[in-house]
Amino acid sequence: MKLSSIILKIAEKMDGQRSLNASLHVLRGKRSGQTLQDVDYFSVKPYFSILPKLGDSTFAEAVSSLHHAGMISESEGIVTVSEKGKRKAKELPPFQFDGWHYRGREEIFFLRMVLLVQTLSQLRNSQNSFHPITNDRKIQQFVKEVLRSLQDTRPNSARFFADELLLALKMTGISDLQAAVLCHRLTGVSASGWTWEQLEESTGETVASLQLEYLEALHRLITVSESTDAEERLPILHMLVKDIRIKTPLTDSTAITKKLFDQGLPIDEIAIVRQLKVNTIEDHITEIATNDRNFPILRFVGRDDQLAVQHEVRRNDVKRLRFLKEKFPHLSYFQLRLILSTTKGELV
Amino acid sequence: MDLRQELKERFGFNEFRPGQEDVIRSILKRDDTIAILPTGMGKSLCYQLPGEMLDGLVLVISPLVSLMEDQVASIRKRGEKRVAAVNSFLSTEQRKYIFDEIHTIKFLFISPEMISRPDMTNFLIRLPISILVVDEAHCISQWGFDFRPDYLRLGEFIRLAGKPPVLALTATADARVEADIISYLHMSNPNVIRQSLDRPNLTYTVQPLETEADKTTWLKERLKTTKGPGIIYVASRKRAEELTRILQQEGITIASYHAGKEAGDRSIIQQQFLTGEISWICATNAFGMGVHKDDIRQVIHDQMPASAAAYVQEAGRGGRDGERSAAVLLYVTDDEQKVRFIVQRDLPDEPQVRHFVAMRASGQSIESSAELAGISETGSRVVQYYLETLSLENILKTFTKLKYDKEEKLRQMIAYVHSKTCLREQLLSYFDETSQAKHDFCCSVCGTAKYDWLLSNERLGNRRRLLQWEERIRLLLC
Ligand SMILES: [Zn+2]
């Protein structure tokens, strides 16, 4: 996964209205009024704060590769995406970050998981005394609580968690590479985690690219583990994601869209009234759908299509949009996203 | 008092290591105590055992967060749960929790910058402190190789706390450092317990070479033909990365380790080294404190450290299991200049100090004054501390002395690499010691630094193979 692709996606949303620096601020998660307004207005919340330590030179390098490919240009502080750039942006698979809701807290979840796996692995080998992979007391206490609750209910916790992880990773729809990276960052008896360099060497992907893959995978895993049906199907992961998501109400811009939508305006009219792009409004609608159990999805997708997609998801345990798009070419990405975000609770 | 009985019951050990019992007896008498014990000789038992026996709180001042966390973890590991650490990484909420629960805590670890914060001082001086432990006490002395200005404020805390018994722990302290520890910690007539730095199971070698490139070639050959586990100490992050890459290409399982590495990678590397998945670590001096690996067979320095004390400490990480370990120092003539530059970098010169003082006087912040004067962050903290107590002229004098002293320390290392007499004796002489016995495997000057026992034609590490993710999960958990 390339940084430049992500920048292109953001630039496409801000086309003709903002500087490239605005996307840098989004990626770094700058807490200024301007950036917070931008992420909302341009619907780039998923990318907010996914790279808090992104260096100027790394960013510049990625940008210049887009320049050279003739996809973007910038003059007088305004970025313009060329036709070629727009085409390329469309071809890119939809990224599935959720930076807005996790903002670096995904690492807390991952540390919990690493320590849990290490502990289960050690216990399975009857080693009760070992060097924990993290000395963070909060993480240690959290995992201890989880283990305590497992002792009472699950006799073979390691095995149980393995099955759960296998299922969850399948449900996320992440690629095999992403799943492999995630699993190789875990540590167990005589199988320590791998460093980024070691992963780079054996996958042939750069560290930067792998870290993006890892981040997206982590966001997906958390999202899957948060859902209401996860409480049943993924009980341990569901415990591990406790308090990771930042609770935010609908953002201001989405709230305005919701008002118009509730009045019955169709998307293109909302776009005209609000002077926003159609796909921005679609992002708002998806956000509304995610947060509203009674979302009137029938306004966008017929019942048959809904059932067919849900069936496919259940049958293959796959939620990857690209995969679904191949199966249902007549449905738009927007429709597919709506179906997925409104069926979370029913996929048992 | 039968201390051995206590040791057996509380820690499950039958014997004290050399020096421990004397230190503990001194502490139990409530005497101020300085314990100079070589690295890996169980310094922490010196306060853990009396701490358990005495009423009140054991307050341990520790310079590094990692070291602190590590000690907390090892105390917990033996079943003592009444332990906590306070450092600037804690959230206000976590800190408050510790304060509310302070009566349930026996061992409290704290960083020197935290302890001198007024709110913290006020809180802590009201508590019944049974022992005040200053770990890595050499950090208090500007003659020490690891000077930390924050340590200088401990004296004030000790005075405010009503002078509880103080235990100063360190691995190395010459007479001047010892004098500084006594004076800055306001110690009264302390018992000084000094254990010999002589480690009979270490063999010392100086390996002179022509060029930097020769070092790399030498290391390649050495690592291909001898066994680990081992550490290569290098002078910079850049060198750590480069050398690691080169050695990896030779099929050696090695990882680089320095402060610039991602936190997750750092703990993974430590783990891999502990389990033997990698045989070598190529590190800056950020690696070492708090690493519990007893079977390190080689410690190789790509470049000389800034002082004999630092060298003794780093080379001393080898052979903690009592088995043989090789300490090798590579040397080319240019090294002297390079190390001199690094050593003097953090020490501001006269125009810089004057500039800094003028900026401060004109109302600039410490940070921007330091930046304008071109002083490093460490340097500015040192200047700032002295400004509170000394006149400008005296500060300049102190700095001149410091510069001179650092140069002198470096000369010890230079003398070491050129030594025509026993290297072990040479090192020990810097700490006013002599070797107690004749050693069969002594050093390259004595001609007994053979390394045939290290030779190994074991197959070098296999290339790592990425597993399918399902397979990996099963490997970990099933
Ligand atoms: Zn000798």
Side-chain angles (χ1 to χ4, degrees):
Chain A
M1 191 182 292
K2 281 190 185 149
L3 173 61
S4 58
S5 307
I6 293 171
I7 296 173
L8 181 63
K9 283 266 191 188
I10 301 174
E12 193 219 2
K13 304 246 187 183
M14 297 182 167
D15 190 9
Q17 304 194 56
R18 288 288 183 276
S19 67
L20 274 167
N21 243 359
S23 29
L24 177 61
H25 294 324
V26 169
L27 290 168
R28 282 185 185 161
K30 192 176 174 197
R31 302 286 166 94
S32 73
Q34 183 63 54
T35 301
L36 292 174
Q37 216 174 321
D38 280 354
V39 280
D40 191 15
Y41 188 73
F42 296 107
S43 283
V44 288
K45 277 187 266 176
Y47 305 106
F48 184 73
S49 198
I50 60 173
L51 295 167
K53 289 180 192 154
L54 179 58
D56 287 334
S57 58
T58 315
F59 181 77
E61 208 174 294
V63 163
S64 97
S65 77
L66 290 171
H67 272 297
H68 287 306
M71 295 197 208
I72 57 168
S73 56
E74 190 177 32
S75 69
E76 289 168 17
I78 297 292
V79 61
T80 309
V81 180
S82 69
E83 278 312 312
K84 186 180 172 201
K86 282 178 188 155
R87 237 179 300 126
K88 170 79 184 172
K90 273 224 170 56
E91 284 165 18
L92 285 170
F95 295 117
Q96 301 194 69
F97 296 100
D98 193 353
W100 183 255
H101 287 113
Y102 302 135
R103 297 190 199 177
R105 297 178 55 80
E106 65 276 342
E107 272 306 312
I108 299 176
F109 161 76
F110 194 68
L111 272 181
R112 289 172 181 172
M113 183 157 98
V114 174
L115 185 59
L116 180 69
V117 168
Q118 187 194 17
T119 312
L120 291 174
S121 168
Q122 296 280 350
L123 293 175
R124 199 173 58 85
N125 287 273
S126 315
Q127 295 179 12
N128 296 318
S129 174
F130 59 93
H131 271 283
I133 191 87
T134 170
N135 280 325
D136 186 320
R137 291 289 303 143
K138 259 192 166 167
I139 304 278
Q140 290 181 353
Q141 264 152 3
F142 187 95
V143 170
K144 203 172 274 174
E145 281 305 313
V146 171
L147 283 164
R148 201 165 294 153
S149 76
L150 288 180
Q151 262 164 9
D152 304 334
T153 50
R154 315 276 177 205
N156 190 353
S157 309
R159 187 60 204 242
F160 188 84
F161 189 56
D163 289 341
E164 193 175 315
L165 209 49
L166 288 166
L167 172 65
L169 288 176
K170 240 180 249 165
M171 286 168 67
T172 57
I174 57 175
S175 69
D176 285 344
L177 173 70
Q178 287 180 307
V181 169
L182 214 59
C183 294
H184 282 80
R185 292 291 287 178
L186 298 170
T187 278
V189 173
S190 63
S192 304
W194 290 32
T195 65
W196 290 111
E197 277 91 30
Q198 287 164 346
L199 287 166
E200 175 179 71
E201 200 190 295
S202 55
T203 61
E205 297 265 339
T206 65
V207 170
S209 159
L210 288 171
Q211 287 177 338
L212 285 169
E213 299 280 7
Y214 159 87
L215 194 69
E216 188 190 40
L218 208 47
H219 284 181
R220 289 294 305 144
L221 181 58
I222 299 173
T223 306
V224 164
S225 311
E226 275 171 343
S227 68
T228 35
D229 64 324
E231 209 171 332
E232 282 292 319
R233 295 183 84 188
L234 311 169
I236 302 178
L237 283 165
H238 193 69
M239 282 190 261
L240 294 182
V241 296
K242 188 166 176 269
D243 296 330
I244 295 297
R245 169 179 282 260
I246 290 175
K247 304 248 179 327
T248 46
L250 291 185
T251 47
D252 294 347
S253 185
T254 304
I256 298 170
T257 298
K258 182 170 179 352
K259 209 177 256 172
L260 298 170
F261 177 72
D262 288 346
Q263 289 167 12
L265 258 61
I267 289 188
D268 30 341
E269 277 185 40
I270 299 177
I272 293 166
V273 173
R274 298 214 52 201
Q275 299 189 311
L276 290 171
K277 285 191 200 149
V278 166
N279 68 29
T280 304
I281 302 299
E282 287 179 349
D283 286 336
H284 291 169
I285 301 289
T286 316
E287 188 185 343
I288 294 166
T290 317
N291 287 287
D292 182 0
R293 294 193 135 255
N294 300 313
F295 182 82
I297 189 171
L298 286 174
R299 279 174 65 175
F300 302 99
V301 201
R303 190 72 191 148
D304 292 347
D305 281 331
Q306 268 186 69
L307 290 174
V309 173
Q310 283 169 9
H311 179 73
E312 188 61 35
V313 170
R314 212 170 305 141
R315 196 164 64 89
N316 287 316
D317 241 340
V318 157
K319 288 187 183 174
R320 202 185 316 175
L321 282 174
R322 201 164 25 155
F323 168 84
L324 291 171
K325 177 77 181 160
E326 278 167 23
K327 291 266 174 182
F328 303 98
H330 66 290
L331 293 177
S332 67
Y333 273 124
F334 170 59
Q335 286 171 312
L336 288 168
R337 273 161 63 201
L338 273 187
I339 296 171
L340 288 183
S341 52
T342 51
T343 49
K344 259 193 276 175
E346 298 157 29
L347 281 174
V348 186
Chain B
M1 194 186 323
D2 192 356
L3 279 180
R4 287 207 186 168
Q5 191 59 31
E6 296 280 348
L7 179 71
K8 177 85 189 144
E9 275 169 22
R10 294 178 193 267
F11 293 85
F13 299 137
N14 291 318
E15 296 285 335
F16 284 105
R17 296 215 195 161
Q20 284 178 335
E21 191 169 353
D22 293 341
V23 176
I24 292 167
R25 287 198 186 278
S26 166
I27 279 293
L28 288 174
K29 278 193 292 178
R30 311 282 174 125
D31 286 345
D32 284 344
T33 308
I34 300 179
I36 304 160
L37 305 176
T39 312
M41 293 309 279
K43 275 186 288 172
S44 83
L45 188 91
C46 295
Y47 58 82
Q48 285 194 48
L49 182 58
E52 295 287 354
M53 295 168 68
L54 296 169
D55 285 334
L57 178 75
V58 179
L59 194 58
V60 186
I61 291 127
S62 188
L64 293 179
V65 174
S66 58
L67 195 65
M68 207 184 277
E69 284 175 341
D70 195 74
Q71 280 163 338
V72 169
S74 85
I75 293 179
R76 279 183 187 281
K77 206 171 143 186
R78 71 165 168 87
E80 171 61 89
K81 305 293 180 195
R82 298 172 299 167
V83 49
V86 185
N87 53 54
S88 43
F89 289 90
L90 285 189
S91 66
T92 326
E93 169 198 324
Q94 285 170 311
R95 230 178 281 162
K96 192 177 169 309
Y97 176 78
I98 291 178
F99 290 163
D100 291 344
E101 298 295 312
I102 191 77
H103 56 280
T104 67
I105 290 169
K106 182 91 214 172
F107 297 95
L108 184 68
F109 289 79
I110 187 163
S111 57
E113 68 274 11
M114 281 303 285
I115 207 174
S116 46
R117 286 168 43 147
D119 54 336
M120 195 62 73
T121 303
N122 280 328
F123 175 75
L124 291 172
I125 58 173
R126 283 165 227 275
L127 302 171
I129 299 173
S130 62
I131 315 170
L132 192 135
V133 183
V134 182
D135 202 3
E136 309 291 339
H138 59 270
C139 294
I140 205 169
S141 170
Q142 66 267 38
W143 309 121
F145 63 95
D146 202 8
F147 177 47
R148 283 162 197 263
D150 287 320
Y151 264 63
L152 291 169
R153 301 178 197 273
L154 294 178
E156 180 64 4
F157 177 84
I158 289 168
R159 202 180 55 75
L160 290 170
K163 303 227 345 154
V166 175
L167 169 60
L169 293 170
T170 179
T172 57
D174 60 20
R176 276 189 304 182
V177 174
E178 188 183 310
D180 273 355
I181 292 175
I182 294 173
S183 110
Y184 287 123
L185 294 180
H186 303 321
M187 291 176 126
S188 32
N189 230 341
N191 298 321
V192 181
I193 291 127
R194 188 186 277 274
Q195 200 54 43
S196 171
L197 285 168
D198 191 8
R199 298 273 309 278
N201 58 327
L202 299 195
T203 304
Y204 298 92
T205 302
V206 168
Q207 181 66 55
L209 294 164
E210 288 293 311
T211 65
E212 282 299 312
D214 290 347
K215 283 183 176 175
T216 305
T217 313
W218 188 92
L219 283 163
K220 261 200 247 180
E221 201 43 43
R222 173 80 167 204
L223 267 61
K224 274 158 70 179
T225 52
T226 62
K227 66 183 175 189
I231 306 173
I232 303 173
Y233 277 109
V234 297
S236 70
R237 294 175 188 187
K238 193 164 157 265
R239 172 70 173 156
E241 296 287 344
E242 281 169 5
L243 191 55
T244 301
R245 206 153 299 142
I246 292 168
L247 293 170
Q248 275 170 347
Q249 279 162 6
E250 300 294 322
I252 290 151
T253 59
I254 183 168
S256 62
Y257 189 104
H258 51 71
K261 283 250 162 187
E262 193 226 16
D265 272 1
R266 276 196 310 229
S267 48
I268 284 174
I269 291 166
Q270 289 213 17
Q271 205 87 26
Q272 291 182 350
F273 191 50
L274 275 177
T275 59
E277 286 161 87
I278 51 174
S279 305
W280 289 86
I281 297 255
C282 183
T284 62
N285 58 12
F287 183 79
M289 287 204 200
V291 173
H292 301 281
K293 191 165 174 66
D294 291 337
D295 60 346
I296 293 171
R297 300 276 72 92
Q298 304 196 54
V299 178
I300 303 176
H301 278 77
D302 182 51
Q303 194 171 307
M304 66 172 97
S307 70
Y311 186 63
V312 165
Q313 182 148 52
E314 286 164 7
R317 299 204 165 103
R320 290 201 196 167
D321 54 3
E323 302 292 318
R324 293 175 69 179
S325 181
V328 183
L329 175 57
L330 306 185
Y331 171 75
V332 304
T333 323
D334 288 351
D335 285 350
E336 300 178 17
Q337 280 314 319
K338 279 192 203 150
V339 179
R340 183 169 290 125
F341 174 75
I342 296 170
V343 169
Q344 303 286 347
R345 193 175 45 188
D346 282 335
L347 217 52
D349 59 21
E350 181 169 342
Q352 284 178 317
V353 175
R354 288 190 186 280
H355 197 105
F356 179 83
V357 171
M359 288 297 114
R360 288 291 288 148
S362 74
Q364 298 272 4
S365 71
I366 297 178
E367 292 77 23
S368 59
S369 304
E371 206 184 315
L372 290 166
I375 301 178
S376 72
E377 199 210 322
T378 320
S380 75
R381 278 187 302 158
V382 180
V383 182
Q384 188 57 29
Y385 171 78
Y386 283 121
L387 274 177
E388 289 169 21
T389 48
L390 298 177
S391 69
L392 179 58
E393 293 315 311
N394 279 329
I395 293 177
L396 291 173
K397 259 189 223 147
T398 307
F399 278 173
T400 314
K401 245 165 56 190
L402 282 177
K403 265 193 193 303
Y404 178 76
D405 180 67
K406 291 205 172 199
E407 179 60 28
E408 197 182 324
K409 288 260 158 64
L410 181 57
R411 292 206 172 283
Q412 293 183 340
M413 277 321 289
I414 296 168
Y416 177 78
V417 298
H418 294 300
S419 180
K420 298 276 182 285
T421 57
C422 175
L423 294 174
R424 179 186 304 273
E425 293 291 356
Q426 183 84 16
L427 272 184
L428 289 173
S429 74
Y430 300 141
F431 305 95
D432 308 318
E433 274 193 48
T434 51
S435 185
Q436 284 146 1
K438 194 79 204 118
H439 299 285
D440 294 340
F441 310 102
C442 184
C443 69
S444 53
V445 175
C446 292
T448 48
K450 298 197 182 66
Y451 64 96
D452 43 350
W453 63 280
L454 275 171
L455 291 177
S456 156
N457 45 18
E458 267 169 56
R459 275 287 300 132
L460 296 167
N462 293 323
R463 245 182 114 79
R464 298 187 149 253
R465 193 173 64 86
L466 199 75
L467 299 176
Q468 295 284 323
W469 59 273
E470 295 95 337
E471 219 180 313
R472 172 85 184 170
I473 290 175
R474 288 192 200 101
L475 171 71
L476 290 165
L477 292 166
C478 301

